[in-house]
């Protein structure tokens, strides 16, 4: 399995990853997060170069809150089902603050990433800030969620 690459700053990342981080930042402005005030943006790039973005959407009924990553993934799957996903970047900041804070994909989003990765038979790279000054480029959803649940578990 490819290693998880770490970077001390955004400038060290490749230009496509930096572009996706930029698009994820733009998307985070559309977060609807009146409860947590934690603004998350995700941007992913498809094989044909299309970039899809998502931002977290909260609800007064808290369990209905939806992460930015899944908003982007579901939109990509619904609108461009034939296009494979190459890479996704995720960023977060507190409401009314510009500087990025660490946001690591939650377990539910890892599970959804894994489903699409299996479906397209090709890894999806994930770029995110996991701690202060530490970006990672994870080579696949499988690396983010080893031994995840999949359709294989459902076969008799
Ligand atoms: N959130 C995301 O959008 N993505 C993550 O990876 C972690 C958490 C959102 C969900 C909720 O709206 C807010 O951040 C606080 O948990």
């Amino acid at each position: 399995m490819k290693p998880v690459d770490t970077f001390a700053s955004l400038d060290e990342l490749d230009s496509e990853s930096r572009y996706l981080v930029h698009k994820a930042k733009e998307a985070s402005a559309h977060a609807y997060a009146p409860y947590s005030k934690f603004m998350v943006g995700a941007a992913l790039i498809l094989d044909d170069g299309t970039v899809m973005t998502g931002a977290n959407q909260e609800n007064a009924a808290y369990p209905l809150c939806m992460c930015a990553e899944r908003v982007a993934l579901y939109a990509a799957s619904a609108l461009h089902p034939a296009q494979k996903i190459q890479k996704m970047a995720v960023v977060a900041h507190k409401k009314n603050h510009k500087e990025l804070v660490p946001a690591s994909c939650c377990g539910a989003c890892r599970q959804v990433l894994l489903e699409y990765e299996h479906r397209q038979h090709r890894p999806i790279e994930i770029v995110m800030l996991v701690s202060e000054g530490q970006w990672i480029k994870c080579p696949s959803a499988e690396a983010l969620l080893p031994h995840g649940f999949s359709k294989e578990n459902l076969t008799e």
Side-chain angles (χ1 to χ4, degrees), residues 92-110:
H93 60 87
K94 304 273 172 61
K95 199 172 178 169
N96 301 323
H97 288 77
K98 267 192 143 178
E99 79 272 19
L100 297 181
V101 295
S104 185
C105 271
C106 77
C109 291
R110 291 176 193 217

Side-chain angles (χ1 to χ4, degrees), residues 119-137:
R119 181 189 186 195
Q120 68 177 32
H121 303 289
R122 212 180 62 202
I124 300 172
E125 285 188 323
I126 302 109
V127 173
M128 56 194 180
L129 181 67
V130 286
S131 60
E132 209 184 315
Q134 196 193 11
W135 289 89
I136 65 162
K137 188 156 80 176

